[in-house]
Amino acid sequence: ADPAPPPYPGAEAVVDEAKAKADAASAVAKSLATHAVVVFADGLSSAVAIIADAHVHTVAPDSHEAAAVVELLPPGLGLADAVFVGGKPRSLESWSALSVDDAVAAVEAAELERQARIDGDIAAVIASAPRMLFMKGTPDRPRCKFSRKCVTALADAGIDYASFDILSSWDVRHRLKAYSGLATFPQFWVDGALVGGTEAVGTWITTSPAPAP
């Protein structure tokens, strides 16, 4: 048999570049999803130091992470001039000028606003199908043994469902635990109500009336 033709010149570099950009965007999203106040900086400046309880995410100048942050900034606001509060960018100068009480109040308000927005997104996903599985990966490519076990159980029972890959969204992955009150994944929802994780799904399959496919 003839050998497979080589990939076009530069193909591997293109794939590597795309993966690097995706990894950088994911790292930025993780910081914003898991910290109330985030400063992206190439070092600890004096301006950063005066921000109480700020998470400092160090990025290298001209890096993919720096580029990912810049894409989130409004016109006129540079990487060195911004602070993210509740996931939203604002001027570092104006933020630094706030009193401690005003800063705390702003963080609390921003966090409540962000939680409400993410909760709305989660509710919309749950409402989009009668049965929704929040899992790591996809049904054809589960990315943890518990998600794989859950997918297999549902498939063996012939149950139709939709799924959401929590690895695709740091916001949903981080917030869903509080939203549902369940700290583990996967999470299976039926008609807007939480059934539970892998073991609960097995119980639901054996004890519930046969659902329509």
Side-chain angles (χ1 to χ4, degrees):
D2 294 333
Y8 68 85
E12 186 174 343
V14 171
V15 172
D16 289 345
E17 179 75 2
K19 184 178 185 303
K21 288 182 177 180
D23 289 345
S26 177
V28 169
K30 179 181 179 181
S31 279
L32 295 177
T34 54
H35 299 281
V37 183
V38 183
V39 175
F40 294 91
D42 57 9
L44 290 175
S45 68
S46 58
V48 173
I50 67 174
I51 302 177
D53 298 325
H55 171 71
V56 179
H57 184 130
T58 302
V59 296
D62 301 322
S63 66
H64 289 308
E65 285 194 358
V69 176
V70 169
E71 289 183 2
L72 302 175
L73 299 176
L77 193 61
L79 179 65
D81 308 315
V83 56
F84 285 78
V85 182
K88 291 186 176 181
R90 58 185 295 169
S91 164
L92 182 60
E93 181 179 2
S94 65
W95 178 253
S96 299
L98 293 177
S99 68
V100 173
D101 288 344
D102 287 345
V104 170
V107 170
E108 291 176 347
E111 278 295 284
L112 289 174
E113 180 182 344
R114 179 171 65 171
Q115 290 172 10
R117 173 179 56 79
I118 301 171
D119 286 354
D121 293 342
I122 292 172
V125 171
I126 293 170
S128 67
R131 294 176 287 279
M132 175 61 61
L133 178 66
F134 290 90
M135 61 178 294
K136 293 181 179 180
T138 59
D140 58 334
R141 295 188 67 180
R143 295 184 62 183
C144 79
K145 64 179 181 180
F146 300 106
S147 292
R148 182 177 296 106
K149 183 177 179 180
C150 193
V151 165
T152 300
L154 292 169
D156 289 347
I159 295 171
D160 188 28
Y161 63 96
S163 66
F164 183 93
D165 181 5
I166 60 167
L167 299 179
S168 68
S169 170
W170 274 104
D171 279 345
V172 172
R173 180 179 180 182
H174 186 67
R175 180 63 185 164
L176 183 58
K177 297 176 183 180
Y179 183 93
S180 66
L182 182 63
T184 58
F185 298 107
Q187 294 187 14
F188 190 55
W189 295 70
V190 176
D191 295 328
L194 175 67
V195 171
T198 304
E199 291 186 5
V201 168
T203 301
W204 175 82
I205 290 173
T206 57
T207 60
S208 299

